[in-house]
Amino acid sequence: MNVYSEPSDNPATPLDAVCVFCGSSGRVAERHRKAASRFGQILGENGITLVFGGGRVGLMGLCADAAVAAGGKAVGVIPRILHEVEVAHQNLTELHIVETMHERKKLMFDRSDAFVVLPGGVGTLDETFEIITWRQLRLHDKPIIVVDEGGYWAPFVSMVDHIVASGFAGERTRQLFQVVKSVEDVLPALAASPAPKLAAHPEKL
């Protein structure tokens, strides 16, 4: 397993809020459910606001429940189409209802200092590739941490290696995100990440 990271001699990334991308399915391995709950607890106990997709189901709901139960804040951002089918979490610090999926991603980006990817499905992949692409385009340089819980994201890392090896992306692509093995490794990895130097360009996202 390759662990992608950037060397840091700079001040640490400020961590007031972390955006979590993760699955909305509840039909997943118990280890993934426990990891989502544990990470929500870690954020809550450390006074770090959780920013997420606003759902009450699957890993999203478990992470939010644990963050709030630990005394933390949880900010959900959900498109109206999902809110209308009653999958929105109702026990949050803030719930923002937006019109489009792009507005959702944009607001989650604006509210977050870093991004953490837990196991998830195609929606999680979409969010992950987009936030990495934005960083590749130098629209931001906020840290991105992929949690390879139980080897779940090993195929994703292999795919990135394949893309680079095939010439469709440069070697620097491997430095756009970091891979850790468990949720307990996330905050130490973020503490070692350099503070963003680029001014975000929200008008270009």
Side-chain angles (χ1 to χ4, degrees), residues 71-133:
K73 297 178 181 179
V75 176
V77 185
I78 194 165
R80 189 173 303 280
I81 190 171
L82 294 180
H83 184 265
E84 289 174 352
V85 295
E86 299 181 347
V87 297
H89 202 302
Q90 300 300 321
N91 186 32
L92 303 175
T93 312
E94 300 174 32
L95 178 64
H96 299 270
I97 303 170
V98 296
E99 296 303 321
T100 69
M101 294 292 285
H102 185 75
E103 287 180 76
R104 181 196 214 183
K105 294 174 187 176
K106 171 67 167 52
L107 184 54
M108 290 165 72
F109 173 86
D110 290 342
R111 293 293 299 265
S112 304
D113 299 308
F115 304 89
V116 173
V117 184
L118 301 182
V122 292
T124 303
L125 274 173
D126 170 62
E127 292 168 323
T128 302
F129 272 120
E130 185 154 16
I131 204 64
I132 290 173
T133 300

Side-chain angles (χ1 to χ4, degrees), residues 7-11 192 194:
S8 172
D9 295 318
N10 301 316

Side-chain angles (χ1 to χ4, degrees), residues 2-189:
N2 292 319
V3 178
Y4 303 154
S5 61
E6 297 181 355
S8 172
D9 295 318
N10 301 316
T13 297
L15 276 184
D16 294 320
V18 168
C19 179
V20 175
F21 300 140
C22 61
S24 59
S25 174
R27 303 182 303 275
V28 299
E30 184 63 19
R31 69 177 302 156
H32 299 322
R33 295 170 58 85
K34 288 182 177 178
S37 293
R38 175 63 182 140
F39 190 57
Q41 180 185 10
I42 288 170
L43 292 178
E45 289 176 347
N46 284 274
I48 300 171
T49 297
L50 165 68
V51 179
F52 77 115
R56 61 175 172 78
V57 294
L59 302 194
M60 282 200 289
L62 291 170
C63 191
D65 287 342
V68 172
K73 297 178 181 179
V75 176
V77 185
I78 194 165
R80 189 173 303 280
I81 190 171
L82 294 180
H83 184 265
E84 289 174 352
V85 295
E86 299 181 347
V87 297
H89 202 302
Q90 300 300 321
N91 186 32
L92 303 175
T93 312
E94 300 174 32
L95 178 64
H96 299 270
I97 303 170
V98 296
E99 296 303 321
T100 69
M101 294 292 285
H102 185 75
E103 287 180 76
R104 181 196 214 183
K105 294 174 187 176
K106 171 67 167 52
L107 184 54
M108 290 165 72
F109 173 86
D110 290 342
R111 293 293 299 265
S112 304
D113 299 308
F115 304 89
V116 173
V117 184
L118 301 182
V122 292
T124 303
L125 274 173
D126 170 62
E127 292 168 323
T128 302
F129 272 120
E130 185 154 16
I131 204 64
I132 290 173
T133 300
W134 289 355
R135 190 172 189 188
Q136 181 183 44
L137 294 172
R138 296 183 62 80
L139 299 178
H140 78 91
D141 61 348
K142 299 178 184 181
I144 303 167
I145 307 291
V146 175
V147 182
D148 187 35
E149 175 65 39
Y152 182 82
W153 288 118
F156 169 79
V157 175
S158 295
M159 184 64 190
V160 173
D161 283 336
H162 174 67
I163 290 169
V164 172
S166 300
F168 287 98
E171 288 289 336
R172 184 179 176 275
T173 304
R174 293 188 171 100
Q175 298 179 339
L176 297 175
F177 62 94
Q178 182 176 354
V179 182
V180 300
K181 292 185 178 298
S182 74
V183 294
E184 282 79 9
D185 298 326
V186 172
L187 293 193

